Amino acid sequence: MMGLTPFSEMKGAFKAAKMAQGLEKAAGKDAAQGLAEGAAKEATQLSKEAQKGVKSLEKQIASHEKKLEEFRNNPTVRPGMENLPKDVIEKQQQRRIQHLETEIQTFKNNLQKILDGEL
């Protein structure tokens, strides 16, 4: 019988982590925490390339979430747009927010694909 590939093992580990969340309610946090720790241990089974990809995507997600938060707290106007009508400026700012949200979601989707062994 052939052994599981690291990606197949990861998929199983994340299923275990999801089960752990359900067990948290049914059996208390100790059992759930044990399964979650087992899933985390399995995460080290990713190839070096996949681990590098995961780290890179996590950095990108954090960076873009920070940009999004900062922009929402202090929306700016791009140079050269200062004299445009307010509604044009607001549409541009909303587009910037949508763009950042789309990029964050794309990074998260790609991260999940790596963890599920699809990439």
Side-chain angles (χ1 to χ4, degrees):
M1 184 169 126
M2 290 180 34
L4 294 175
T5 66
F7 291 121
S8 297
E9 291 171 2
M10 279 303 303
K11 195 170 186 178
F14 284 96
K15 285 182 182 179
K18 287 180 183 179
M19 287 179 13
Q21 291 173 346
L23 285 176
E24 195 170 288
K25 292 178 184 173
K29 290 188 179 182
D30 291 333
Q33 187 174 354
L35 279 177
E37 287 171 359
K41 195 181 223 181
E42 291 293 324
T44 61
Q45 297 296 321
L46 285 175
S47 69
K48 288 190 185 251
E49 182 179 300
Q51 288 176 15
K52 186 176 179 182
V54 167
K55 284 183 182 182
S56 175
L57 287 168
E58 287 174 341
K59 278 184 173 179
Q60 289 290 345
I61 291 167
S63 169
H64 280 66
E65 285 177 341
K66 181 180 177 187
K67 286 180 192 179
L68 180 59
E69 181 181 346
E70 289 172 354
F71 189 78
R72 282 185 171 153
N73 291 334
N74 184 25
T76 57
V77 178
R78 290 189 348 213
M81 294 186 69
E82 299 89 354
N83 297 326
L84 293 176
K86 187 175 183 173
D87 65 320
V88 172
I89 292 171
E90 288 174 354
K91 284 181 183 179
Q92 184 276 329
Q93 291 170 336
Q94 189 58 38
R95 180 64 191 117
R96 170 87 171 136
I97 290 171
Q98 290 172 346
H99 174 73
L100 289 169
E101 289 173 339
T102 299
E103 285 193 338
I104 291 168
Q105 189 57 50
T106 299
F107 294 143
K108 288 180 178 181
N109 291 343
N110 289 339
L111 177 62
Q112 190 60 49
K113 286 178 183 178
I114 289 172
L115 296 175
D116 288 343
E118 296 173 17
L119 284 180

